[in-house]
Amino acid sequence: MARLYIFAIGGTGSRVLKSLTMLLASGVKPNSDKNFEIVPIIIDPHKSNEDLKRTERLLGNYQTISNEVGLDSGFFSTKITTLDRLTTSQNRLSGSFTFNLQEVGGRKFSEYIGFNQLDEPNKALADILFSGKSINKRHEEVNLLDVEMDIGFVGNPNIGSIVLNQVKDSQEFKDFASNYNEDDRVFIISSIFGGTGAAGFPTILKNIRDAMNNRNIDGKGFLQDAKIGAITALPYFNIEKDNDSPIQKSDFIAKTKAALYYYKDNVTGNNSINSLYYIADNYSGKPYKNDPGDNGQKNDAHFVEMASALAIIDFLETPDRDLETSEGKALKPIYKEFGIRKDASDIKFSDLEDYTERKIALRLSQFALFRKYLTEHLSSAVENEAWSNDSPEINKKFVDNTFYRTNLTEFLNSFTDWLKEMAENKRGFSPFNIDSSIDALIKDRIGKYGLVFKSKVDYGEFNNQLSKTSKKSKSLDRSSAEKRLIGLFYETTESILEDSYGLKN
């Protein structure tokens, strides 16, 4: 199986990765003749970042669920794994999805570069290069050399580029390089208007293209000639004004222009990237809390992040012939943007372009229907419905086990939060009536027979369909209750939504 290594940089990287995980859980897959295993590598010096921690927890639950039910059950059918699972190196990694940046926690930038050990000419040079001002986590104005890096690079990519250059010498990068094969691909997620992402993208890209420790018997560099895609997020959200914060919305455009100017020579101008996706949104909605990092940085999910995750799906659908690379240079670089059919402030499936709607509407609706049934009705169904008694039984003991009570329930709760956060954001994405009756779950959709179910509060028809699938399905894996549950609901929700709503993949 080919692998896609995803370098998710900074807070935006974690949030886009979260959206990708939700899409993969729902059964969204690239239209490709290859199956890809996903290997996320999160790079963020801000270890207390709540966005990072939420994504790590989500990935861990996904991995546990997918390992339990296999890759043929519809939901959770794309394998996600940590880098350490791929290596036999004696220097084992942590088993985490997060890259371990060394010598960052609790240190000032001046300590990281050994400023006090420099001779006077080099001290003078460092003073010139890092002569700007910033605000530390105690909201005090400090020189850039005195920035404390454990909350990230607070909008200073010149600092980030120095620190993140350590990636190439790390055990993680060596294991990534030694495991990279010719059919594998790389994708980099970053924002362009902050510090960590703006610095991390060109730094990681350069380190991959310059890699020399991944050669085949003919001396060709699999990694140097890797098929590399990236999404660079331009400004897409608003933040509260806070004069004591180093993060100011008024700086976003200036930083974006500066980064794009640098990318023109060092990313796009030298053909380092095979496929680069741009995304932005100038919709000025509810501002996020201005949190440079010391309070945990927990941003609501945003439609732009889900659209960015779709760039990864699109990249995997791109044929190999369009991603050819020679001596570290893309022969036919591709540049793409994302658009919607209607400039709506509250996006529904019908506002998306046809291909995007077909790609996600059925699968996300299936998963939303699955979540709704399990959240509202499964505890009753395991005692009263015939389909739950088929072998292997889905009973009260199953509902109380760790797989259902912890891993699956936590994931479904995160899915609910993700949908609600996107719906309440501006620009919003709200294709579902989350708290409605089942028949009204999908907005702007009327079943061909009117209401899909006999009653707005009656799960009877759903249970009838579950019983039919349970009795007649030849593809349903019945080797465990976990596999039967996931496969049963995937097949049944697909049938209901295709027959009654006309949703197709």
Side-chain angles (χ1 to χ4, degrees):
M1 182 184 291
R3 297 184 181 117
L4 175 68
Y5 296 87
I6 299 178
F7 289 89
I9 307 173
T12 298
S14 287
R15 293 190 297 274
V16 172
L17 188 56
K18 177 175 67 176
S19 286
L20 177 67
T21 306
M22 297 301 186
L23 293 176
L24 297 179
S26 70
V28 173
K29 281 181 171 289
N31 181 20
S32 171
D33 57 358
K34 294 181 182 178
N35 289 320
F36 282 90
E37 177 180 11
I38 308 298
V39 186
I41 304 168
I42 302 173
I43 299 177
D44 194 339
H46 185 195
K47 299 303 183 186
S48 61
N49 184 332
E50 292 296 329
D51 289 329
L52 183 154
K53 291 195 286 188
R54 286 202 293 178
T55 299
E56 279 192 307
R57 182 72 179 176
L58 186 77
L59 287 167
N61 281 327
Y62 181 106
Q63 188 179 43
T64 299
I65 296 166
S66 182
N67 289 344
E68 186 71 37
V69 304
L71 303 181
D72 298 316
S73 298
F75 299 136
F76 303 98
S77 57
T78 296
K79 187 173 184 180
I80 296 180
T81 193
T82 53
L83 183 60
D84 72 307
R85 299 285 182 94
L86 310 180
T87 178
T88 57
S89 167
Q90 290 185 348
N91 187 359
R92 299 291 290 175
L93 304 176
S94 65
S96 168
F97 292 100
T98 304
F99 179 87
N100 185 27
L101 283 169
Q102 300 293 324
E103 301 179 354
V104 172
R107 304 190 76 196
K108 296 179 180 179
F109 179 62
S110 59
E111 296 170 334
Y112 181 85
I113 63 173
F115 180 81
N116 290 334
Q117 284 72 52
L118 299 176
D119 57 27
E120 290 306 316
N122 281 314
K123 280 185 178 179
L125 178 61
D127 277 327
I128 293 172
L129 291 174
F130 305 102
S131 59
K133 299 288 186 181
S134 187
I135 305 292
N136 67 13
K137 59 186 178 182
R138 290 175 293 281
H139 298 284
E140 303 164 340
E141 186 175 77
V142 296
N143 294 323
L144 288 187
L145 286 166
D146 292 324
V147 166
E148 296 160 300
M149 299 179 294
D150 53 358
I151 61 170
F153 306 124
V154 287
N156 297 295
N158 51 341
I159 292 178
S161 61
I162 300 295
V163 177
L164 293 176
N165 205 46
Q166 67 172 268
V167 169
K168 69 179 188 300
D169 299 318
S170 67
Q171 184 62 42
E172 287 96 331
F173 193 82
K174 292 174 183 176
D175 284 320
F176 156 63
S178 63
N179 281 278
Y180 190 90
N181 292 311
E182 190 172 16
D183 288 336
D184 296 343
R185 297 185 182 187
V186 174
F187 199 91
I188 304 170
I189 308 167
S190 67
S191 67
I192 200 171
F193 54 97
T196 307
F201 170 34
T203 302
I204 297 297
L205 180 62
K206 182 178 185 298
N207 286 338
I208 292 174
R209 290 302 188 205
D210 289 348
M212 298 299 291
N213 57 339
N214 177 259
R215 322 292 292 180
N216 67 5
I217 58 175
D218 299 318
K220 178 179 174 61
F222 288 154
L223 189 54
Q224 186 181 44
D225 289 339
K227 303 172 183 67
I228 305 177
I231 177 82
T232 183
L234 284 70
Y236 68 93
F237 58 79
N238 192 7
I239 60 170
E240 296 173 347
K241 185 173 179 58
D242 182 351
N243 292 332
D244 292 329
S245 171
I247 309 299
Q248 299 295 330
K249 183 176 184 292
S250 57
D251 295 335
F252 284 180
I253 298 301
K255 289 182 177 181
T256 297
K257 288 181 178 179
L260 287 172
Y261 187 80
Y262 178 83
Y263 290 5
K264 181 175 70 70
D265 292 329
N266 298 281
V267 176
T268 57
N270 63 6
N271 286 16
S272 292
I273 195 82
N274 295 93
S275 188
L276 181 58
Y277 297 80
Y278 294 97
I279 195 163
D281 189 16
N282 61 3
Y283 193 90
S284 183
K286 180 182 72 173
Y288 290 172
K289 180 178 176 59
N290 191 322
D291 179 8
D294 47 320
N295 291 317
Q297 196 175 20
K298 182 179 178 181
N299 291 349
D300 286 347
H302 196 289
F303 172 74
V304 162
E305 293 150 11
M306 191 193 75
S308 298
L310 287 169
I312 302 172
I313 302 295
D314 183 84
F315 177 65
L316 293 180
E317 293 181 338
T318 305
D320 286 343
R321 63 179 179 274
D322 294 336
L323 301 172
E324 293 180 359
T325 309
S326 178
E327 297 182 355
K329 302 296 181 183
L331 300 183
K332 297 180 288 185
I334 302 167
Y335 306 101
K336 293 187 177 184
E337 297 176 323
F338 184 87
I340 54 179
R341 183 197 306 277
K342 179 183 176 184
D343 188 16
S345 62
D346 186 27
I347 299 169
K348 305 173 187 64
F349 287 134
S350 57
D351 297 318
L352 302 173
E353 291 290 350
D354 290 347
Y355 186 79
T356 305
E357 183 179 7
R358 287 196 306 273
K359 177 61 68 176
I360 68 172
L362 174 60
R363 300 307 180 210
L364 280 179
S365 297
Q366 284 181 251
F367 205 70
L369 194 55
F370 171 60
R371 179 212 70 86
K372 191 169 187 65
Y373 187 104
L374 265 61
T375 302
E376 297 179 0
H377 196 67
L378 186 66
S379 59
S380 171
V382 297
E383 296 180 352
N384 301 304
E385 301 300 338
W387 65 264
S388 69
N389 295 322
D390 292 343
S391 181
E393 287 188 24
I394 298 169
N395 50 27
K396 191 175 185 305
K397 183 179 178 181
F398 172 84
V399 173
D400 289 337
N401 72 17
T402 301
F403 170 85
Y404 181 80
R405 179 170 44 83
T406 302
N407 302 117
L408 186 54
T409 298
E410 279 190 8
F411 195 97
L412 294 177
N413 289 341
S414 296
F415 180 72
T416 305
D417 292 341
W418 178 68
L419 289 177
K420 287 185 175 181
E421 288 174 13
M422 284 197 294
E424 294 168 2
N425 219 325
K426 296 298 178 188
R427 169 181 329 253
F429 178 62
S430 58
F432 303 115
N433 295 304
I434 298 295
D435 299 319
S436 73
S437 57
I438 273 186
D439 61 281
L441 177 64
I442 308 172
K443 292 182 179 179
D444 290 346
R445 290 279 179 173
I446 299 175
K448 63 182 178 181
Y449 303 116
L451 297 181
V452 180
F453 301 99
K454 294 176 180 178
S455 167
K456 289 187 177 183
V457 294
D458 185 6
Y459 279 87
E461 181 62 22
F462 201 149
N463 285 311
N464 289 340
Q465 293 287 344
L466 288 167
S467 293
K468 289 178 183 178
T469 305
S470 184
K471 297 293 185 186
K472 296 180 179 180
S473 175
K474 296 181 179 178
S475 60
L476 189 60
D477 190 335
R478 305 171 195 273
S479 59
S480 71
E482 290 80 5
K483 290 181 179 179
R484 188 168 85 86
L485 177 82
I486 300 297
L488 177 61
F489 273 85
Y490 183 83
E491 289 189 33
T492 303
T493 54
E494 182 177 60
S495 176
I496 289 172
L497 292 168
E498 286 184 346
D499 290 346
S500 296
Y501 280 112
L503 289 174
K504 302 291 183 183
N505 185 242

